[in-house]
Amino acid sequence: MMSKFNMAKPFEILKCTVILAVAVSSLACGSAAPPRPATGNENTVAAATKAAELSVRSRAIKDTFDVPIGRIDGTQFKLGDFKGKVLIVDFWATYCPPCVRQMPQLAKLYQKYHSSGLELVGLSGDEKSDQKKVEDFIKQAGAAYTIGFENEWVARAFLKGTEDETGTTPIPQLFVISRDGRVLEHQIGENQQIGLSNIEKIVEQELSINAASR
């Protein structure tokens, strides 16, 4: 198992992982650059950096789509089962207040777009001994989508490079994955002011692009 998740701190809500070295099988976090005068091309640089990070992460998770993941009911599934769908993957836990607040929003998002081609997978960092607690919370949140326990290989591929100074991985972390397996968005933590509006915007755009191409 990976080291226990921790909750993303408020100041990490809008934090993007900075990639200094791009490699197929490894991800690296970079330290923040020192202050410098604005040049006017910050948005372009930020967009390019984010695109590079998402591209690297896409390659990192590619081989995990055939890895069996245990559902809370004891059966198994694979992320590859959702090939051809727009997929949201949520790393969460019942002991994480931001995750708890966010799950009902995800449930509503799933209900709204599922018939249009959206799938959602929640991967819990709870111990399997806490299965009853997980099941009770899922019912309370109205989460009718696929829920499983986080898989070490899958979690490592998705989350590597997001560890804090203690080596612990913050949650919640959300990933929006395209129908062809590319990571479209990676969000760490929650934004209580805007909720999941950015995630919803990306989902809507992807679903509409694919609908128009048919």
Side-chain angles (χ1 to χ4, degrees):
M1 295 284 290
M2 292 183 64
S3 58
K4 271 292 183 183
F5 295 136
N6 72 352
M7 293 167 287
K9 301 174 183 176
F11 66 82
E12 292 177 314
I13 290 171
L14 298 179
K15 177 184 176 183
C16 292
T17 304
V18 179
I19 304 300
L20 296 181
V22 178
V24 172
S25 60
S26 64
L27 300 172
C29 281
S31 57
R36 60 177 176 76
T39 62
N41 67 344
E42 280 78 8
N43 290 337
T44 301
V45 172
T49 301
K50 184 66 177 287
E53 185 261 327
L54 295 180
S55 177
V56 171
R57 211 167 285 279
S58 295
R59 295 196 294 271
I61 71 172
K62 182 178 180 181
D63 293 335
T64 69
F65 278 70
D66 290 325
V67 177
I69 301 172
R71 287 189 178 90
I72 58 172
D73 64 3
T75 61
Q76 292 186 329
F77 71 97
K78 301 175 183 178
L79 294 178
D81 296 339
F82 307 105
K83 185 178 180 180
K85 302 287 186 178
V86 177
L87 176 65
I88 295 176
V89 178
D90 173 34
F91 288 85
W92 70 286
T94 60
Y95 55 78
C96 163
C99 303
V100 169
R101 289 192 296 267
Q102 189 168 263
M103 185 170 277
Q105 300 176 52
L106 287 170
K108 290 179 181 178
L109 195 67
Y110 175 75
Q111 292 170 0
K112 184 175 180 180
Y113 295 102
H114 177 58
S115 62
S116 300
L118 175 68
E119 292 290 347
L120 208 156
V121 170
L123 296 179
S124 173
D126 290 88
E127 298 291 342
K128 291 187 179 180
S129 58
D130 290 326
Q131 179 168 329
K132 181 64 165 55
K133 182 191 297 184
V134 175
E135 291 175 343
D136 289 345
F137 176 69
I138 290 170
K139 291 178 182 178
Q140 178 184 343
Y145 49 85
T146 302
I147 303 288
F149 287 105
E150 62 96 1
N151 175 286
E152 181 178 3
W153 190 0
V154 173
R156 184 184 297 115
F158 274 84
L159 306 180
K160 185 175 181 180
T162 66
E163 300 86 353
D164 62 18
E165 63 277 3
T166 70
T168 306
T169 306
I171 53 172
Q173 291 201 41
L174 289 174
F175 297 81
V176 182
I177 301 173
S178 70
R179 295 179 190 268
D180 59 358
R182 292 175 296 108
V183 178
L184 302 173
E185 181 61 26
H186 173 207
Q187 178 174 300
I188 302 176
E190 67 167 348
N191 187 321
Q192 294 189 53
Q193 293 183 330
I194 66 173
L196 298 178
S197 61
N198 181 53
I199 297 294
E200 182 171 6
K201 180 180 179 181
I202 293 169
V203 167
E204 281 186 337
Q205 181 179 13
E206 185 67 10
L207 289 173
S208 124
I209 287 174
N210 282 278
S213 65
R214 290 181 179 180

